[in-house]
Amino acid sequence: MSPQVLDGKATAAAIKAELTERVAALRERGVVPGLGTLLVGGDPGSTWYVNGKHADCAEVGIASIREDLPQSATQEEIEAAVERLNASPDCTGFIVQLPLPAGIDSNRVLELIDPDKDADGLHPTNLGRLVLRMSEDIDSSLPCTPKGIIELIERHGVSLRGKHVVVIGRGTTVGRSIGLLLTRRAVNATVTLCHTGTADLAAHTRTADVIVAAAGVPDLVTGDMVKDGVVLVDVGVSRVADPETGKSRVAGDIAADAVAKSSWYSPNPGGVGPMTRAMLLANVVESAERSLA
């Protein structure tokens, strides 16, 4: 059978439609979910990303709260903006757009976020809850990209229960946190975490039922490294020059000959990216819903 697409765009659109209904129900009860963003400086990529988040909010009825500071903002000024968002009753969740300018203690800034308003799900308190609560419900935000990956797979009818998942990459956003979600009893997968220090990566990937590639290395996973019928989730983002046009394009971690052997695969772009944005909205809505409990 031909590989089938894990369509992140269509799945995210379905989730947004569901969130629109939930936001309307919250508004009827007098609660308006609000997403806050803290952007320091005018980096075009960061500005585009933040603007996209607020466009998503408008699409589902979530209010937008912005804190935009100049590149010259001091540690104290950035921390004061975090405290304003923590204190704002209109903000039910917010993110600090990274990277922050050179010389700013980013970890200190991120740890000042109220865990109950942590829209990214990466605050140390919330990650700690994820570590501790293997079987119990988790009443705080989950990391957006790992949460989105699992949603993407399961909404296409693919079970992860009992599957061997190989994760490539050990970054906080995906690699270090997705294993915590995948090994919860609700999912019950078995996880192998690989990275740049892994000897003989192919020996691990050839046994995988599912591969989550988040290394940021173009075409890292090739056809000779995967078995037939594998599920491939491409999270890596690199830019490479198109040999025909000379223009740069987005490239993922998974090569075309590996995709050809898969049963399901996520395109890149159009796979995990839209799901990450949808999960950010979901975290903000869920935070607002918890406030009524």
Side-chain angles (χ1 to χ4, degrees), residues 164-168 192 194 198-213 220-228 230-232:
H164 177 208
V165 182
V166 169
V167 178
I168 307 172
T192 299
C194 300
T198 299
D200 196 358
L201 176 62
H204 298 281
T205 57
R206 288 191 188 109
T207 68
D209 302 306
V210 181
I211 297 173
V212 178
L220 173 66
V221 179
T222 53
D224 62 330
M225 296 171 62
V226 304
K227 66 181 183 181
D228 290 334
V230 67
V231 175
L232 298 175

Side-chain angles (χ1 to χ4, degrees), residues 95-160:
I95 60 112
V96 175
Q97 182 64 36
L98 299 177
L100 292 173
I104 299 299
D105 186 342
S106 297
N107 285 331
R108 176 177 166 81
V109 171
L110 295 174
E111 289 182 18
L112 286 174
I113 297 172
D114 180 347
D116 290 337
K117 292 191 174 187
D118 168 31
D120 273 331
L122 295 174
H123 189 280
T125 296
N126 292 334
L127 288 176
R129 289 171 179 157
L130 183 53
V131 170
L132 292 171
R133 299 180 187 177
M134 178 181 63
S135 302
E136 305 91 335
D137 290 337
I138 299 176
D139 54 356
S140 56
S141 293
L142 297 173
C144 294
T145 301
K147 181 179 179 181
I149 289 169
I150 293 172
E151 282 278 326
L152 179 62
I153 293 171
E154 292 186 339
R155 283 184 179 240
H156 283 82
V158 180
S159 174
L160 290 164

Side-chain angles (χ1 to χ4, degrees), residues 9 14 112 225 250 259:
K9 290 182 179 178
L112 286 174
M225 296 171 62
V250 173
V259 170

